[in-house]
Every structure is written in structure tokens, then in C-alpha cells.
Amino acid sequence: MVQIIKDTDELKTFLKAAGCKLVVVEFSAKWCGPCKRIYPLIHAMSLQYRNVMFANVDVDDSKELAQSYHIKSVPTFQMFKQTRKIFEFCGADAQKLEAKIQELIGPAQLSHTMPLRRFSRDCQRWNSSRWSRNK
């Protein structure tokens, strides 16, 4: 599940609650096309990697939070462990995101996960069928 974060206090509480788990925070915007395309994949990853905590911050709804975390473009992904930022990248590259998650959680915790390619394929099918129905 992806937790929606509205302000700095919520994010700090979320990071503390994670303890030693990896936290992935996506900074995005409702108007951003790449953000819209990657969101289903982020949701799929949140179900796949149950030992990782996922959050989303809308930069328009949480301008101060985005500014305090130095967000310059969307989507931006920041990863944290024990409340400290350990990695950041910009762009809607789901494969890069998944590879980094796998690297940071380590091989011992990957035994019960399914490759994102299947989730990606399923999401693409769902999005294309939904799009064709809305024409």
C-alpha cells in the first residue's frame, strides 16, 4: 500500500515508523504524465515488496515539504533507511526503481517477490483497455 503524505510531520512519523525497513517516497504531481504512468507500477511494487514502505507526496498539495526535500522535478524518488536519505533519482523508470530497491533490500529478502515485468505488463494491459473504453 502506498501511504499519502501531506506534510513534514507526517513524513517524519512515517520514516520513524519504518525503523530499519527501506522507505521509498515518490514526489509527484497530478498533472504529470510520467507520474500517472508509473503510479500503477509503484502500487504493484508496494504489494510485491511487503518489507519496503512506500509513500507518495503530491508536490502541489505539499509545497513546503517538496521544497524542504529539494524537489526540482517530478517524479522524484527518494529512498530512506532509519530516517536518513540514502538514494535519489528523477524520472519514471520503473526498472531502475525496482533494481535499486532490490539492491538496497538485499538478496535475502527477495525470495518471495515476483519480477516487476509481470506487474508492468498487467498494468499496461489494464491501462490500454481502460483507455480504449474511455474513447
Side-chain angles (χ1 to χ4, degrees):
M1 193 84 179
V2 179
Q3 176 75 35
I4 304 300
I5 303 292
K6 300 278 187 192
D7 59 40
T8 303
D9 290 336
E10 280 186 28
L11 183 55
K12 286 180 180 179
T13 301
F14 187 75
L15 293 173
K16 285 180 185 174
C20 295
K21 290 182 180 180
L22 176 65
V23 175
V24 177
V25 180
E26 176 194 19
F27 291 86
S28 64
K30 292 177 185 102
W31 50 263
C32 169
C35 299
K36 290 177 187 178
R37 284 191 301 275
I38 199 165
Y39 184 79
L41 301 176
I42 301 300
H43 179 72
M45 282 187 227
S46 75
L47 299 174
Q48 176 185 3
Y49 296 102
R50 298 211 178 256
N51 53 340
V52 177
M53 296 179 68
F54 290 83
N56 176 273
V57 176
D58 185 300
V59 296
D60 294 325
D61 294 341
S62 308
K63 289 179 182 171
E64 289 179 20
L65 179 58
Q67 186 176 14
S68 67
Y69 281 81
H70 309 288
I71 303 305
K72 304 286 187 233
S73 64
V74 289
T76 293
F77 295 91
Q78 292 186 352
M79 298 180 188
F80 299 82
K81 269 197 176 177
Q82 298 179 334
T83 72
R84 291 193 173 155
K85 184 169 77 170
I86 57 172
F87 188 75
E88 174 179 330
F89 79 91
C90 301
D93 188 337
Q95 290 179 340
K96 180 178 179 180
L97 177 62
E98 184 176 36
K100 194 63 178 180
I101 288 170
Q102 290 176 355
E103 175 189 327
L104 293 172
I105 62 175
Q109 296 180 19
L110 289 175
S111 60
H112 300 293
T113 61
M114 183 183 305
L116 180 61
R117 286 183 202 92
R118 179 174 171 204
F119 284 108
S120 178
R121 186 177 60 239
D122 292 346
C123 289
Q124 287 172 350
R125 285 182 190 151
W126 181 82
N127 282 335
S128 63
S129 68
R130 189 179 83 174
W131 183 77
S132 63
R133 280 184 272 145
N134 291 335
K135 279 185 164 180

